[in-house]
Amino acid sequence: MEQAKIEVIRWITDSWWAYFDCLDQRLRLIHKASLQGLERKHLTLRTRLKRLTRRTICFSKSVAVHDTIIGLFINQFFFADKRN
């Protein structure tokens, strides 16, 4: 994570023993409900952004197109007004 300049503030995991050896325990949160919610978000992203899969007809080789589509989706999915 150091190369990507991403600061990890929390690891959300289950109670699998391998995480004990690999992760800083001060940053680790063992909480099944939080982990399931996070996995649900990732599955939604993968399912709704099928254009990231090369086998689809709408696949683009342009990084700019991928960045734009992902940004628009995240904006709509996480920040759009859900009252409608």
Side-chain angles (χ1 to χ4, degrees):
M1 292 295 172
E2 205 170 289
Q3 292 175 343
K5 298 193 184 349
I6 297 172
E7 182 182 349
V8 176
I9 58 172
R10 182 177 305 130
W11 295 103
I12 301 174
T13 68
D14 55 11
S15 57
W16 191 39
W17 63 269
Y19 295 128
F20 187 78
D21 296 334
C22 299
L23 301 175
D24 183 356
Q25 296 305 305
R26 295 171 294 166
L27 301 177
R28 186 171 168 219
L29 173 64
I30 303 171
H31 196 252
K32 190 173 184 175
S34 296
L35 182 62
Q36 287 173 339
L38 182 63
E39 288 174 344
R40 175 78 251 162
K41 283 182 184 178
H42 290 169
L43 181 60
T44 300
L45 284 171
R46 283 196 315 271
T47 303
R48 294 193 183 166
L49 290 173
K50 288 293 185 184
R51 69 181 321 128
L52 298 178
T53 305
R54 196 175 269 275
R55 292 182 181 175
T56 62
I57 196 167
C58 59
F59 181 81
S60 173
K61 292 181 182 177
S62 168
V63 174
V65 171
H66 285 296
D67 289 346
T68 303
I69 295 299
I70 292 169
L72 288 171
F73 175 78
I74 289 172
N75 186 42
Q76 179 183 0
F77 185 73
F78 291 108
F79 303 111
D81 188 8
K82 304 230 182 208
R83 289 180 284 173
N84 296 335

